[in-house]
Amino acid sequence: MVKMIFLGAPGVGKGTHSNLVAEAHGIVKISTGDLLRENVKAGTELGLKAKEYMDAGGLVPDDLVIALLKDRISKDDCGKGFILDGFPRTIPQAEALSGITEIDLVVNLSAPEEVIIGRLSGRWTCKKCDAIYHELNIKPKVEGVCDKCGGELYQRDDQKPEVVKKRLETYQKDTAPLIDFYKSKGSFIEVNVEGNVEEVNKRVQEAINDKLNG
Ligand code: ADP
Ligand code: ZN
């Protein structure tokens, strides 16, 4: 049983690395961003409320996200543990989480700001399957078309340059304080994410295993 949190600015690759680590440990990966987007797509009441904040590059109110997360981690598939990707994102969310369950390890993915900005600007998403591409380093074989399913690529509202800027500001203001919050609580590691996915993932997995076994 292991419960982890992945922290990091938008664009550090939290989604990619947390998926790979979850697979390696046979546990589920929970992304509040994905849960919220599912709700938006399904047109639920929660989705309707959340969409305006997400499209503007801001955060969805704490009470909504906390309720969503609490419900999700009560499901059976979380019995062996889980990785949280994108939650908590504020100090009140972290405090609420500590009242719900204990966390074994917090992994902070870090990179210089210019690296993050380069990665975030230029992202495109598939309309059908949500696969993500990048103009510079993850180009689709045919411009504007998804390699996996042939779907049309578009820029999500939150991938547009002005919204990217706002998301980074939101991260600095609301989420970066979580680094000190968790550092002071103990089980915390930081991993630099410069390099290709394979290389970085090896670094991430080794750092986690060292910490969990040491
Ligand atoms: P990113 O691409 O930055 O990793 P996510 O997919 O994790 O973004 O989340 C997309 C959007 O959903 C965020 O910009 C935010 O508006 C909302 N969101 C996700 N998780 C949370 C959270 N824990 N608290 C508040 N808002 C959240
Ligand atoms: Zn696709």
Side-chain angles (χ1 to χ4, degrees), residues 130-175:
D130 290 329
I132 293 182
Y133 295 87
H134 194 287
E135 285 166 12
L136 300 178
N137 42 36
I138 323 169
K139 286 191 199 169
K141 293 199 184 81
V142 179
E143 197 183 310
V145 181
C146 179
D147 290 349
K148 294 178 186 149
C149 76
E152 183 193 339
L153 304 185
Y154 75 114
Q155 277 198 306
R156 275 185 351 219
D157 282 330
D158 70 352
Q159 291 169 328
K160 294 179 178 152
E162 61 285 7
V163 182
V164 164
K165 186 160 169 282
K166 177 73 187 4
R167 280 166 68 202
L168 287 171
E169 285 166 12
T170 302
Y171 168 77
Q172 282 306 336
K173 178 171 147 290
D174 294 314
T175 307

Side-chain angles (χ1 to χ4, degrees), residues 8 24 38 59 68 81 86 100 102 116-117 150 160 176 178 182 195 204 212:
E38 278 165 25
L59 293 180
L68 186 68
I100 302 172
E102 264 177 40
I116 290 173
I117 294 172
K160 294 179 178 152
L178 289 176
Y182 282 116
V204 171
L212 291 177

